[in-house]
Amino acid sequence: MENEQVKRKIFSRQQAKIKAESYCAYQERSQFEIRNKLYEWGLFQNDVEEIISELIESNFLNEERFALAYTLGKFRIKSWGKIKIKQALKLKRVPDKLIKKSLQSIDDDDYLTMLKRILEKKAENITETDPFKRRYLLTRYGSGKGFELELISDLLISNKL
């Protein structure tokens, strides 16, 4: 068996721009994701930065729109809390100012309702009878989903979970 090397796809600057436009049109992307994709396609730094500038000018790429879509998507679909969303956005190199703005778009009532829903659902599946261990398991689950410990604790006490 021979060692197969992964060949880098090399596109012309124009081909890469067209491909990047369709990549951005498919779903919101961060500049970090686009930059990585362009380098993956074998482009050089000057071309990468020029293409990113052109994508921003033509509104294919918008960090604020990306942060908002990502935040609401992860919250509504994956039931992630603000801590986990913030960490994921930081990994995608979204500026702190935009992260803060996107997290503010989550309604506080919806946030508490989501936390209550996931904890109640998890509580149904826990067979542990010791109330302290049970509370610990629910707290760990909620914090693993990225919710704040204080909110989890308050909710567990107020709903007697």
Side-chain angles (χ1 to χ4, degrees):
M1 198 178 222
E2 296 177 25
N3 282 341
E4 292 181 35
Q5 289 184 338
V6 177
K7 291 185 181 179
R8 294 175 88 186
K9 301 172 189 167
I10 298 179
F11 296 102
S12 71
R13 188 187 177 292
Q14 193 56 37
Q15 285 175 314
K17 183 178 179 233
I18 291 167
K19 217 168 150 50
E21 285 174 351
S22 66
Y23 185 63
C24 289
Y26 175 69
Q27 100 182 24
E28 294 294 341
R29 308 281 181 182
S30 69
Q31 286 183 30
F32 179 68
E33 290 172 312
I34 296 297
R35 188 170 280 113
N36 286 345
K37 190 57 81 173
L38 291 170
Y39 282 126
E40 192 180 296
W41 292 339
L43 275 86
F44 295 105
Q45 185 176 0
N46 290 345
D47 290 335
V48 168
E49 296 308 320
E50 284 175 21
I51 289 173
I52 287 175
S53 293
E54 290 169 17
L55 290 172
I56 291 169
E57 284 172 27
S58 57
N59 210 20
F60 275 101
L61 192 58
N62 182 322
E63 284 280 272
E64 186 173 348
R65 198 174 60 212
F66 165 76
L68 185 63
Y70 189 87
T71 298
L72 293 177
K74 293 300 180 189
F75 172 67
R76 291 181 183 143
I77 298 164
K78 296 274 189 177
S79 304
W80 283 9
K82 291 180 180 179
I83 295 170
K84 192 168 184 172
I85 294 170
K86 182 178 180 179
Q87 288 173 336
L89 286 171
K90 279 185 177 284
L91 286 175
K92 294 190 179 289
R93 310 248 172 98
V94 175
D96 288 340
K97 178 179 77 174
L98 294 179
I99 292 174
K100 188 176 180 183
K101 187 174 181 181
S102 70
L103 289 174
Q104 288 172 343
S105 69
I106 298 174
D107 181 67
D108 291 338
D109 292 337
D110 291 346
Y111 194 67
L112 287 173
T113 303
M114 178 71 75
L115 177 57
K116 184 178 178 188
R117 187 174 58 82
I118 66 168
L119 290 178
E120 285 174 346
K121 188 175 179 184
K122 184 67 176 174
E124 290 172 10
N125 298 326
I126 294 177
T127 56
E128 182 61 58
T129 54
D130 181 356
F132 293 106
K133 288 181 182 176
R134 193 175 169 77
R135 183 169 288 161
Y136 168 74
L137 291 171
L138 289 169
T139 302
R140 196 175 75 185
Y141 180 74
S143 65
K145 282 288 215 171
F147 288 88
E148 296 81 350
L149 284 173
E150 204 173 289
L151 283 177
I152 297 168
S153 182
D154 291 348
L155 202 117
L156 290 174
I157 292 166
S158 65
N159 290 291
K160 297 180 177 76
L161 291 173

